Structure formats: C-alpha cells, structure tokens
Amino acid sequence: MAQDIALRPVVDPALDDAERALLEKSADGLFPATLPLPEESALGGRTKADIWTALGVSAVCALLPVTILWALIGVWTGLAVGLAAQAGLIWVGVQFGFEAFVLTVVGAHLLAWPLIVVLGCGTDERQRVARLRHGRYYLAEDFGGDPLRELLGHSPLRRMERAQAAVTAVLQSQVDREGLLDDIANDVTLPAQQYEIAQRLAELTRLARKVLAAAGDASGSRVEEVLRTQRQALRLSSSALEERVEALERYAENTRAADAAYREWEAVRELEQLGEDMHELVVNTVRDELAVAEIEGLADRSRLQDLHRMLDDAREAGLLATRFADEPAGRRSGDSGRA
C-alpha cells in the first residue's frame, strides 16, 4: 500500500539531468503547470526589498569587509580580499585622518550597492529553470483534491501521491540497487510512467474544474443529462488511470517482497559461510575442555609438588633439629666456648 507522503514535483524525465535535479529538489519557487506563468519583474526578478537589503549589506561591506565578503564571494577568497580591504581602510585612517576614512567608506558603499543589486539579487539558476521549463513539471496544485471526488470518483492528488510512492518504493529498493531487476529499465520506464500519469491527472483535473464551473448553480433535467454524460466520460478515463496506478502499486509490493526474500537469502548465505568457523569453534571447544582438565591436572601436580617440597623442608629441618638435640651438652657448651 502506498505511503501517505507529500507530493514532490513530477518532472519530465526528458529534461537534462541537472535541470531535473534542480526542479525535483522542492516545490518552492516553482509554478503550477496548469496556471499561467507570472510575469517576471522588469528588474530581472529583483524587488524593492532586494534593493533595500542590498543597501544595508553594502554598508557593512564598505565598513567591515572582513566580516561579510567571505559570504558573498567565497570563504577563502572573501577572507583574503576582506582582510586586504580592511587593512587598506585602517591604513587610510592612520595616514590621512578620520575624514579621509569616512570618505573612503562612503565611496566603497556607493560602489558596492549597485554591484550587490546586480550580482547578488534577482532570479537565481533554479528560478530561471523553473520559468524556462514551466509546463514540464507538475505540482500538488495541478491536481484536484476531495472536491472533485464526486465528479471523478477519486481525488486526483491522492492518486498521484500513490503513483509517486509506488515508483519511489521500486527505485529505492535493494533488489533494484543491486541490479537484480536489470531486465526492467526502472530508471527510465518508471519516471516516464509517473510523468504520463501526472499529465493525464492534470488534464482530468482541468476538465473536471471546467465542468463544475460551467454547471455552476444551474439545475434542471437537461443540465443533469449533460453532466451525467460528461461524468461518465471522466470516470471512464479515470478508471483506466486507476488500473495503471494499481499496476505500479503491485510492482512496488512485489519489489518489497523481493527485498524481504533477498535479505533472507543474504542472511542464510552469511550463516552458511559461518559454517566452517562454527565447526572450528566446536573443535576448539573440545580442545578447551581437554585443556581445562589438563590445566587442572597440572594445578593438582603443582600443589603436590609444593606439598612434597614443604614436606622435604620439614624433614630436613626436623633432621637438623634432631641432630642438634642429640649432641652432648658439654660438646655444645665447648663449641660455644671455643666460639
């Protein structure tokens, strides 16, 4: 079953890879395909807010270039140029006084302001591509929601979300990453299928909205008859699309099952590869048990040897003591006197 996810932009797979990547990143700054493209500002996308923001940025840039140039022209280049500019400002102030320092800062401010407006504001590359490729990508706004369910029998937005979730599940599956579905060109076929479904659903949404707008609050048998005919045509096309979406969902479900089977197969293979190690472990376990008995025997022998040594020492001490006690007292005292 498809997961509930927010719809990402559905982009024409025939576009250049770099353009597709820019457009698929998010819906921010993109324009619905079913709505007219808004006119671009005469200033190349620049607004009054951009101009006033550039004024403040240029003031900081002129007074403290070391703190902001790195953000405008790159970290290392910006730091190098900023340090040089800051040192130059300090040198001007020391050499020519405060008035010259202020005039230099004002001059740098007036020079930096238009440069920042021209180079740092306006339409960026993503916005440029969004305008250039308008109509070749679809957003959530291009698909009707629940209000069209009565006329179409479904929500086009929900159906598009289901199709995208199924395509994503297949393309992110492990079996697809491992190339086990190579006989099916998923990277090419599935994005094309998703885009075709988006085109059809957007067209269904457009026609359904027109039908509802034309009918308005009108009533009567003739209106109902026409609406019934058009509803049948819309639902017939909708049913065909539903079959395509369900086919994608079945493919995604089978892919998930294949993923589970593949993980199981990998686990079995790894366990089987551990068989030799397990055999060696058992052998080593038997050796360990024998070694334990041997070590305990050595320990016992070691204790016996200690006991034998201590007994020998005791016997020797006893012999010495006995011999010392058996000697005559006079001999012992004589020996002591001579000593």
Side-chain angles (χ1 to χ4, degrees):
M1 182 178 292
Q3 298 175 350
D4 292 325
I5 60 173
L7 186 73
R8 302 184 305 277
V10 183
V11 183
D12 185 352
L15 290 180
D16 178 78
D17 289 346
E19 291 183 341
R20 268 205 347 268
L22 282 175
L23 296 174
E24 288 175 348
K25 188 180 300 182
S26 74
D28 295 338
L30 305 187
F31 310 97
T34 52
L35 296 179
L37 186 65
E39 291 187 7
E40 190 174 12
S41 167
L43 299 175
R46 298 172 184 84
T47 64
K48 291 182 180 179
D50 291 334
I51 295 173
W52 289 113
T53 300
L55 178 64
V57 172
S58 61
V60 176
C61 187
L63 183 61
L64 298 169
V66 70
T67 65
I68 200 167
L69 280 180
W70 65 269
L72 297 176
I73 61 176
V75 177
W76 300 114
T77 303
L79 284 175
V81 175
L83 285 170
Q86 198 73 65
L89 283 175
I90 295 172
W91 180 81
V92 168
V94 172
Q95 289 293 112
F96 303 103
F98 181 73
E99 184 177 350
F101 173 80
V102 171
L103 290 175
T104 302
V105 170
V106 171
H109 181 200
L110 295 177
L111 178 63
W113 186 17
L115 287 176
I116 291 175
V117 170
V118 172
L119 301 177
C121 301
T123 303
D124 60 15
E125 178 63 15
R126 187 168 185 269
Q127 292 171 327
R128 184 191 69 81
V129 173
R131 287 186 164 275
L132 180 65
R133 303 306 182 190
H134 178 247
R136 299 186 66 180
Y137 56 85
Y138 293 91
L139 310 179
E141 294 86 345
D142 292 312
F143 311 107
D146 289 337
L148 298 183
R149 191 181 295 275
E150 182 180 354
L151 188 60
L152 297 176
H154 69 90
S155 163
L157 176 59
R158 175 56 184 156
R159 184 166 288 179
M160 191 65 242
E161 289 173 345
R162 288 168 51 204
Q164 189 174 78
V167 168
T168 301
V170 174
L171 294 180
Q172 292 183 353
S173 65
Q174 187 176 1
V175 289
D176 190 63
R177 289 196 305 270
E178 296 290 341
L180 300 177
L181 302 176
D182 253 354
D183 54 331
I184 304 174
N186 288 322
D187 290 342
V188 176
T189 303
L190 293 184
Q193 288 274 356
Q194 178 180 251
Y195 187 67
E196 288 177 10
I197 291 173
Q199 288 178 308
R200 296 280 303 281
L201 285 173
E203 181 64 12
L204 271 176
T205 298
R206 185 184 69 82
L207 291 175
R209 284 170 174 169
K210 279 193 170 184
V211 168
L212 290 178
D217 296 330
S219 60
S221 59
R222 295 186 62 184
V223 171
E224 287 298 325
E225 183 180 352
V226 174
L227 276 177
R228 184 166 55 252
T229 302
Q230 292 181 346
R231 184 183 294 112
Q232 288 174 351
L234 289 171
R235 291 202 174 191
L236 180 63
S237 179
S238 176
S239 297
L241 273 178
E242 176 64 18
E243 291 179 5
R244 292 183 66 171
V245 174
E246 287 178 352
L248 284 175
E249 289 179 326
R250 285 194 298 271
Y251 186 23
E253 193 62 34
N254 290 337
T255 303
R256 292 189 189 97
D259 259 359
Y262 184 68
R263 287 192 294 269
E264 182 181 1
W265 174 80
E266 278 192 322
V268 170
R269 185 183 60 174
E270 290 178 4
L271 289 172
E272 287 177 345
Q273 289 174 348
L274 288 173
E276 293 185 2
D277 294 337
M278 296 298 292
H279 177 72
E280 185 66 23
L281 179 64
V282 172
V283 172
N284 288 334
T285 300
V286 174
R287 291 174 180 169
D288 289 340
E289 292 174 353
L290 294 175
V292 168
E294 184 178 358
I295 291 170
E296 289 177 347
L298 290 174
D300 291 340
R301 287 196 292 272
S302 176
R303 287 194 292 270
L304 286 174
Q305 289 173 354
D306 290 340
L307 176 59
H308 291 158
R309 186 175 58 255
M310 286 185 289
L311 289 174
D312 289 341
D313 291 343
R315 289 192 189 98
E316 183 176 355
L319 290 174
L320 290 174
T322 302
R323 188 173 57 189
F324 186 75
D326 289 342
E327 290 180 358
R331 185 178 174 184
R332 287 200 303 271
S333 60
D335 290 341
S336 299
R338 285 194 299 270

